Amino acid sequence: MSLLEARNLEKQFGGLKAISGLSFSVPENIIFSVIGPNGAGKTTLFNMLTSIYKPTSGSIFYKGNNITGMPPHKVAGLGITRTFQNLQVFLNMTALENVKVGCHMHSNSGLISAALRLPSVMKEEHRVRKMAMEVLEFCGLGDIADMPASALPYGILKKLEIARALAAQPDLLLMDEPAAGLNDTETMELCDLIVQICQSGITIILVEHNMSLVMEISHHVLVLNYGKLLAQGSPYEIQHNSKVISAYLGGE
Amino acid sequence: MKRLAGYYCFAIATLMLPLLFPDSYYVTVVGVTVCTNIVLAVSLNLLMGYAGQISLGHAAFFGLGAYSSAVLTIKYGMNPWLAMTAGVIAVTVLSYVLSRPILRLKGHYLAMATLGLGIIVHIFFVQADQFTGGPDGISGLPVLSILGYPIDSDLKWYWTFAIFMLASVLFSLNIAHSRSGRALAAVHGSEIAAQMLGVDTAKVKSHVFVFSAVLACITGSLFAHQQDFVSPESFSFFFSIELVTMVVLGGLGSTFGAVIGAILLSLLPEVLLVFEDFEVMIFGAILMVIMIFLPQGLFVAMEETFFRLLKRKSQGSADVTS
Amino acid sequence: MDQLLQFLISGLTVGSIYALVALGFSIIYNASDVVNFAQGEFVMIGAMSAIFLLKGGLPYPLAALCGISITVLVGLALDKLAIEPAKNATVVTTIIITIGASIFLRGVALLIWGKEIYGLPPFTGDKPITIGTATILPQNIWVMVGTAAAVLAVKYFFDKTIMGKAIMACSFNKKAAFLVGINVKQMLLISYGLSAALGASAGILIAPITFMSYGSGVMLGLKGFCAAILGGMGSSMGAVVGGLLLGLIETVGAGFISSGYKDAIAFFVIMLVLFIRPSGILGKAESDRV
């Protein structure tokens, strides 16, 4: 059974159709890449899958449930989370605190019990700290835990955003251009990290411009052009698809 | 222990003051005002500093607390504690109902809506004179007693306010390092990212709005009993602005920043008394100058400088030993 | 019917003043993304300086002109001394800075002019004109005509002059405006001057009808802010429509409910508008971009 299924998705902004007639399904436990030229509608698609935008028409099914138009935090509650193209790290916190926010759904103390610092809160804090440290170490960020996020370099922040998403223990992780702005070494590390995340049982949908990265790690690639599905298949099939080649090179 | 070291020093200082100067006007009269303003500033800081939601109408909830106590005890002869509870319930309901539509707004729109709320409540205090006594206010509240011990002297009021204030400061410090505090800071940092991690941002904002309103409301009730008099003047738009100034002056987002801001701004009129007519002008000038040159606030700026010096010093000594 | 006509006259008169203040708000907001809480102080300073210059023996037109000039200087100083040094300030910081400026200006006014209230004599006599059973003062007509003239002048300035277009360019994209050689700082300065001139004109137009004191600017400024939001923040014509509408709602509301709640009605309306349509009547809806 597929984990996520999009049926006939469409999104209009004013007169502009950013996405139209898009259907696809994402099987469990693979790396599913979405590629396409700039403006093809990749980020719009992500925003619909995470309910930041409501589709103009069409529907999204996750584990067999219709999640179209559900509030974003509820979608997250079902096990979908994401990283962002332009970083959305909480710069007003330390790295560790960022990841602790990722643990939000796996803890439950409220405002009043926190104000009174009840023993249950202390226990929870302890547990959350341990959870967050484990995730940071998994991502190789253990030694910057107590640094303020605002003082960290771009490459580290990109990783931190992934760590924060992992702390939410998702089943489906959407990554929006994780390699953008990284140097070669950082990209290699990222590549390993994504493969490791997938091996730990998390399905990944990846939007990325770095083609060698996409072709190396993806199991399935979907190509968008002007908001429409151009082609999909294995990396090999996509690399040899004449429509894809002409869309990218601008030929006829 | 280390987390609260600053707090314990502050608590000891607060409780020592009346023992050192039991009859001082500055302790028993100014001290109570300072404590009142600290609680209000700390509660506003939860909303503004932690969650990043500006409010230009915080005085409204302070006023609603004060008037519920005054009106219910004087006009309806209600027991003071019952009146206070009624006020808390009313403010809880009101702030909860208003929180969702108000906190959906951002930036200038949020500023306008909270400002509007403050002004409407203030006009209500002035105009509903059959209840509130109009612009002249009402006086003659019954004495508040705790477990049969009446609070009937200035010094006892100081103790009451000091303990209430210290509890509020502790609450605020506790919240910072908790799931709720982090959710608030996440809302401040990036609302969309917070939602993607499962934080129900509308609920989080609504809860902190109610919590901060209720703290202000209780402060208002105590204030009414202590002053033995309430009038609309204490709850005007200008007082809301003054509260925002306290929070920003000390440093947005820092509990002790709010405490320091409240202390400074409460003492300012005592200092400016000498200048009389210049008071308004100097107040405005201070506000502008601090915001232009130290937008992160006095306390936070001091803290940063202190840690920078500390770091340089430790680096210096490390160089010597190596 | 006659009562309605009377409401219409007073509503449009006070609405004109709100419109001018709101227009000033939106000019500054467009140029610098700052909501200038000291806008109401411009109204007060314009009126009070004209009043005292007239008392000092200047002829009326000259007193009015000098009143406006003084306010423009205050507006320029506000930009140079308070807004420009605080570059990269957040929304909350700029709100507090302009509130600080407003308190400061009020404090200065208190020192110079004291707490008493003053008025200006009407521009041209005070013989009421009767229409049916409704009456209209010559000054009411002055207010409406003066406002219309000011609004048209502002519209001409932004639509037709190079300088107006340059300011508009700054409001769309400061960096791009800078790259094509527009002096962004100077354009901001001009916006503050223009907005101060509008505020001062509003003050001088209304001073013969309502009295002025050092504290009169606060409510007028806040109402102007309401009007700007009602019309849609940043839309100049929206500000004018919002101002007139707010004046009408307030007058009718005060007439039917209670004059004591007049100010509350305006803020109640604005809150409803914000709850239902946060972008105002003529404003564009905003959305987050990720």
Side-chain angles (χ1 to χ4, degrees):
Chain A
M1 193 186 83
S2 63
L3 184 66
L4 181 98
E5 197 188 334
R7 288 185 200 160
N8 243 325
L9 277 187
E10 181 167 316
K11 181 69 192 175
Q12 278 189 329
F13 294 108
L16 178 81
K17 275 189 187 172
I19 294 277
S20 65
L22 183 63
S23 300
F24 62 88
S25 77
V26 182
E28 236 168 290
N29 222 348
I30 67 160
I31 298 176
F32 183 104
S33 289
V34 180
I35 62 170
N38 282 324
K42 303 182 297 289
T43 297
T44 304
L45 175 65
F46 264 31
N47 285 344
M48 281 196 285
L49 294 180
T50 49
S51 249
I52 292 173
Y53 292 162
K54 193 176 186 298
T56 312
S57 66
S59 40
I60 302 160
F61 288 81
Y62 175 72
K63 292 182 180 170
N65 302 315
N66 191 341
I67 59 163
T68 326
M70 203 182 249
H73 70 270
K74 288 209 170 135
V75 171
L78 293 175
I80 303 179
T81 192
R82 70 178 283 186
T83 65
F84 296 86
Q85 184 183 350
N86 47 355
L87 284 173
Q88 299 282 328
V89 172
F90 306 126
L91 294 175
N92 51 345
M93 302 183 198
T94 65
L96 181 64
E97 282 167 343
N98 262 278
V99 181
K100 280 181 176 177
V101 177
C103 304
H104 185 85
M105 292 184 287
H106 306 286
S107 48
N108 52 33
S109 71
L111 197 59
I112 305 227
S113 53
L116 300 172
R117 208 155 185 87
L118 299 178
S120 63
V121 176
M122 313 262 281
K123 225 194 252 163
E124 185 181 275
E125 273 305 290
H126 196 73
R127 184 169 59 84
V128 165
R129 190 190 157 80
K130 219 175 117 203
M131 253 160 65
M133 276 313 289
E134 273 169 20
V135 178
L136 272 177
E137 267 151 24
F138 175 80
C139 297
L141 299 172
D143 42 343
I144 53 112
D146 291 319
M147 295 272 279
S150 53
L152 295 172
Y154 185 77
I156 303 281
L157 290 179
K158 282 244 153 190
K159 264 194 192 168
L160 179 60
E161 219 185 35
I162 298 173
R164 188 180 70 183
L166 288 178
Q169 304 175 9
D171 295 324
L172 175 62
L173 174 60
L174 285 73
M175 299 171 105
D176 199 351
E177 299 198 23
L182 299 188
N183 63 30
D184 289 348
T185 336
E186 288 169 331
T187 308
M188 294 258 286
E189 283 173 22
L190 176 79
C191 199
D192 292 343
L193 183 62
I194 296 177
V195 172
Q196 267 185 54
I197 293 170
C198 181
Q199 279 166 356
S200 74
I202 297 172
T203 310
I204 291 170
I205 304 184
L206 179 72
V207 161
E208 185 48 64
H209 279 297
N210 184 333
M211 282 309 139
S212 55
L213 173 77
V214 169
M215 296 306 166
E216 191 182 325
I217 62 173
S218 308
H219 300 104
H220 189 94
V221 179
L222 183 147
V223 190
L224 277 182
N225 197 19
Y226 296 111
K228 291 199 175 80
L229 178 77
L230 189 69
Q232 58 175 328
S234 70
Y236 181 85
E237 285 162 6
I238 294 301
Q239 275 168 313
H240 295 87
N241 184 312
S242 57
K243 278 198 287 186
V244 175
I245 293 167
S246 69
Y248 265 86
L249 298 179
E252 286 301 307
Chain B
M1 267 326 259
K2 198 178 144 205
R3 181 177 70 89
L4 292 174
Y7 175 75
Y8 290 130
C9 296
F10 174 62
I12 290 169
T14 309
L15 298 174
M16 287 293 280
L17 267 182
L19 302 178
L20 296 174
F21 314 99
D23 298 318
S24 164
Y25 158 84
Y26 285 101
V27 174
T28 52
V29 178
V30 181
V32 168
T33 312
V34 172
C35 287
T36 308
N37 289 340
I38 290 178
V39 185
L40 294 173
V42 163
S43 66
L44 182 60
N45 180 56
L46 288 175
L47 183 66
M48 263 185 71
Y50 285 11
Q53 312 295 311
I54 190 172
S55 169
L56 300 182
H58 201 54
F61 299 115
F62 177 50
L64 286 171
Y67 269 101
S68 351
S69 276
V71 173
L72 292 178
T73 55
I74 296 170
K75 302 251 165 182
Y76 299 94
M78 209 184 254
N79 169 292
W81 292 106
L82 212 59
M84 194 185 283
T85 314
V88 167
I89 293 171
V91 163
T92 307
V93 173
L94 180 75
S95 60
Y96 184 74
V97 169
L98 288 174
S99 66
R100 296 250 169 180
I102 284 190
L103 294 168
R104 227 179 35 174
L105 305 167
K106 291 188 172 68
H108 302 117
Y109 299 112
L110 181 62
M112 181 77 237
T114 49
L115 186 154
L117 174 69
I119 290 184
I120 291 172
V121 170
H122 179 248
I123 292 175
F124 174 76
F125 292 154
V126 177
Q127 294 296 327
D129 47 6
Q130 65 273 41
F131 300 109
T132 62
D136 300 332
I138 35 176
S139 56
L141 282 90
V143 176
L144 193 69
S145 23
I146 298 173
L147 303 170
Y149 294 96
I151 311 171
D152 51 8
S153 74
D154 286 346
L155 202 57
K156 285 182 192 167
W157 271 117
Y158 178 83
W159 289 112
T160 312
F161 269 91
I163 289 165
F164 177 59
M165 180 275 284
L166 288 173
S168 309
V169 172
L170 184 61
F171 289 168
S172 171
L173 289 169
N174 282 345
I175 287 172
H177 296 277
S178 75
R179 174 176 181 266
S180 298
R182 285 188 296 269
L184 293 172
V187 166
H188 194 173
S190 161
E191 243 179 83
I192 286 193
Q195 289 174 347
M196 285 303 113
L197 300 167
V199 178
D200 184 347
T201 52
K203 188 167 128 190
V204 163
K205 287 195 276 185
S206 160
H207 282 186
V208 74
F209 189 70
V210 174
F211 189 84
S212 119
V214 166
L215 259 184
C217 166
I218 299 173
T219 317
S221 287
L222 290 175
F223 175 80
H225 281 284
Q226 186 263 339
Q227 295 282 312
D228 197 17
F229 166 72
V230 283
S231 78
E233 211 185 327
S234 323
F235 316 109
S236 67
F237 165 63
F238 298 109
F239 189 58
S240 289
I241 298 299
E242 227 175 290
L243 292 177
V244 171
T245 311
M246 291 173 194
V247 172
V248 181
L249 186 69
L252 211 52
S254 151
T255 300
F256 276 114
V259 171
I260 303 240
I263 295 175
L264 287 180
L265 229 58
S266 317
L267 295 181
L268 196 61
E270 303 292 327
V271 180
L272 293 185
L273 223 52
V274 195
F275 301 100
E276 262 184 279
D277 290 347
F278 290 84
E279 193 190 324
V280 184
M281 193 183 82
I282 295 177
F283 179 74
I286 292 177
L287 196 54
M288 276 163 70
V289 168
I290 296 212
M291 275 301 96
I292 293 170
F293 297 107
L294 288 176
Q296 76 273 48
L298 273 180
F299 178 74
V300 177
M302 267 167 16
E303 212 177 27
E304 276 168 11
T305 321
F306 177 72
F307 280 117
R308 208 167 33 236
L309 287 177
L310 208 69
K311 213 172 173 185
R312 194 175 303 156
K313 210 171 170 192
S314 67
Q315 268 170 0
S317 57
D319 288 346
V320 172
T321 49
S322 63
Chain C
M1 186 60 218
D2 291 333
Q3 201 183 8
L4 222 58
L5 189 64
Q6 192 67 58
F7 283 151
L8 198 67
I9 293 167
S10 358
L12 287 179
T13 306
V14 60
S16 299
I17 300 306
Y18 295 160
L20 286 181
V21 180
L23 191 57
F25 257 119
S26 81
I27 289 172
I28 288 184
Y29 180 74
N30 269 340
S32 60
D33 289 329
V34 168
V35 166
N36 174 25
F37 275 88
Q39 194 71 25
E41 264 45 63
F42 292 158
V43 180
M44 177 271 293
I45 292 171
M48 292 297 273
S49 23
I51 289 167
F52 275 82
L53 289 171
L54 190 67
K55 275 178 172 244
L58 280 191
Y60 205 148
L62 198 61
L65 209 63
C66 289
I68 295 176
S69 314
I70 290 171
T71 316
V72 168
L73 287 180
V74 172
L76 299 182
L78 177 67
D79 180 44
K80 272 289 163 203
L81 301 178
I83 306 294
E84 212 184 274
K87 42 186 182 288
N88 306 326
T90 61
V91 171
V92 174
T93 313
T94 54
I95 288 178
I96 314 248
I97 290 176
T98 56
I99 288 178
S102 133
I103 298 175
F104 175 77
L105 291 173
R106 207 172 330 126
V108 175
L110 176 66
L111 277 183
I112 302 177
W113 296 311
K115 287 185 174 163
E116 294 76 28
I117 46 176
Y118 301 93
L120 273 176
F123 290 7
T124 49
D126 48 6
K127 211 172 144 220
I129 304 157
T130 8
I131 312 165
T133 54
T135 54
I136 184 165
L137 291 170
Q139 190 64 30
N140 289 93
I141 298 172
W142 274 110
V143 169
M144 289 182 226
V145 172
T147 302
V151 169
L152 288 178
V154 167
K155 198 168 158 48
Y156 178 83
F157 176 72
F158 280 112
D159 287 353
K160 300 285 180 211
T161 66
I162 286 287
M163 195 180 269
K165 285 181 181 167
I167 295 179
M168 286 308 278
C170 296
S171 75
F172 289 128
N173 188 332
K174 282 198 186 62
K175 207 171 261 172
F178 176 74
L179 287 176
V180 297
I182 295 172
N183 185 342
V184 175
K185 271 189 187 170
Q186 196 187 341
M187 294 305 131
L188 288 191
L189 195 63
I190 292 169
S191 309
Y192 276 84
L194 184 60
S195 164
L198 284 172
S201 317
I204 293 166
L205 285 169
I206 198 73
I209 298 178
T210 62
F211 294 101
M212 281 285 164
S213 75
Y214 82 103
S216 302
V218 181
M219 226 359 130
L220 283 171
L222 294 180
K223 295 286 187 58
F225 186 20
C226 277
I229 285 191
L230 190 61
M233 223 37 215
S235 149
S236 303
M237 287 311 113
V240 176
V241 174
L244 294 175
L245 201 60
L246 192 69
L248 283 174
I249 296 171
E250 207 181 271
T251 315
V252 174
F256 285 116
I257 302 169
S258 141
S259 61
Y261 282 103
K262 192 186 81 183
D263 293 334
I265 293 166
F267 287 99
F268 185 73
V269 167
I270 208 66
M271 284 177 79
L272 274 188
V273 169
L274 284 175
F275 289 174
I276 297 162
R277 197 180 148 78
S279 46
I281 300 173
L282 299 183
K284 291 180 282 290
E286 286 171 49
S287 64
D288 288 319
R289 268 193 69 85
V290 184

